[in-house]
């Protein structure tokens, strides 16, 4: 959806709104509108429930959207209960049914658009071949997560992994074979990492990982374990290759400068390449004297699996 338009900006805001805040806004809006409709029944405020139903569907999903649609249909009829001496219960029920059907149809249309939006949003953020995050999305995730982690003093492990001599597979067996290796590796990587970890493809045969950790010791352990397991995944592909990985420990006190951090971990990975490949080198992001950007100090060198 075009975020430059007012509707697009509203949709993006609703998309990113936490569920509890969305529920609070929906309930507040429904309550305010119900009170206004009860005090001024002759104005006919019932159509204003439609934007609220749309917002509930977009921000909270199908169950919440349909629930709000039914509740809105009931509330839209409540001001007319006082007219029962003139209106038969059947007519009042018919009014409620008409509103309920209308609101539910609106909810179904919005939910259909939301499913399409989610599908396109997912595809736009993913590498089509491996289903990993694409380069741009991964870097945005790194910036976003590092910024959010500052108040919580969260540490991270940032890693870049490159498949050794991958071009040889394409040259000897063709790009179909190379694509098969990439897909098998990506599948194994997704099965290896945790739900809270980020995994992206940032180059032809380069992948990146961002893992929250509790300590430097845990980060070192995860780096070694990740390289070991991913090496095993590559060993099981039809055309086995090895991998070189650079891993950077980012402490809570490290300046969160994403380009410098990505460059630092990239240099660690290339140090492995120069030293013989098929290993992991782990470093710690530190602050240079008089600088506000991170530099790297080596913790361990060439921890091969």
């Amino acid at each position: 959806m075009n975020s430059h338009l007012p509707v697009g900006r509203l949709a993006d805001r609703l998309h990113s709104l936490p569920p509890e805040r969305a529920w609070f806004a929906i309930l507040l809006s429904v309550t305010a509108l119900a009170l206004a409709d009860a005090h001024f029944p002759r104005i006919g405020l019932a159509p204003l429930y439609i934007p609220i139903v749309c917002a509930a569907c977009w921000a909270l999903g199908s169950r919440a959207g349909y629930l709000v649609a039914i509740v809105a249909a009931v509330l839209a009829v409540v001001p007319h209960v006082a007219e029962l001496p003139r209106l038969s219960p059947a007519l009042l029920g018919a009014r409620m049914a008409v509103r309920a059907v209308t609101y539910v149809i609106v909810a179904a249309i919005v939910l259909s658009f939301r499913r399409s939006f989610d599908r396109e949003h997912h595809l736009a953020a993913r590498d089509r071949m491996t289903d990993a995050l694409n380069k741009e999305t991964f870097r945005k995730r790194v910036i976003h997560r590092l910024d959010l982690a500052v108040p919580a003093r969260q540490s991270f492990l940032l890693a870049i992994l490159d498949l050794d001599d991958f071009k040889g597979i394409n040259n000897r067996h063709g790009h179909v074979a190379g694509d098969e290796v990439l897909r098998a590796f990506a599948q194994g990587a997704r099965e290896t990492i945790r739900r809270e970890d980020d995994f992206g493809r940032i180059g032809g045969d380069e992948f990146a990982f961002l893992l929250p950790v509790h300590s430097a010791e845990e980060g070192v352990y995860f780096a070694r374990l990740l390289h070991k397991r991913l090496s095993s995944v590559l060993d099981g592909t039809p055309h086995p290759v090895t991998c070189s990985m650079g891993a950077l420990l980012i402490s809570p006190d490290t300046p969160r400068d994403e380009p410098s951090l990505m460059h630092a971990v990239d240099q660690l990975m290339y140090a492995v390449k120069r030293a013989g490949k098929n290993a992991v080198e782990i470093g710690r992001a530190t602050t240079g004297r008089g600088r506000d950007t991170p530099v790297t100090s080596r913790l361990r060198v060439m921890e091969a699996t």
Side-chain angles (χ1 to χ4, degrees), residues 135-150:
K135 182 177 180 179
E136 183 64 24
T137 303
F138 179 82
R139 299 189 80 139
K140 287 180 179 178
R141 286 285 295 168
V142 170
I143 295 171
H144 179 68
R145 296 196 69 180
L146 291 181
D147 286 344
L148 288 180
V150 171

Side-chain angles (χ1 to χ4, degrees), residues 127 129-130 163 165-186 201 203-207 234 237-241:
D127 172 65
M129 181 185 300
T130 63
L163 306 188
D165 303 317
F166 178 75
K167 291 182 180 179
I169 295 177
N170 289 329
N171 294 335
R172 291 191 301 271
H173 304 285
H175 288 280
V176 173
D179 293 348
E180 187 177 357
V181 171
L182 291 175
R183 282 191 288 267
F185 171 80
R201 184 186 183 193
D205 59 345
E206 278 192 356
F207 297 86
L234 291 170
T237 61
H239 307 282
V241 293

Side-chain angles (χ1 to χ4, degrees), residues 268 271-276 279-282 300-304:
L268 289 171
V272 178
K273 290 283 192 183
R274 291 190 295 268
V280 54
E281 181 161 332
I282 307 170
R300 303 189 178 197
V301 179
M302 300 310 176
E303 297 203 25

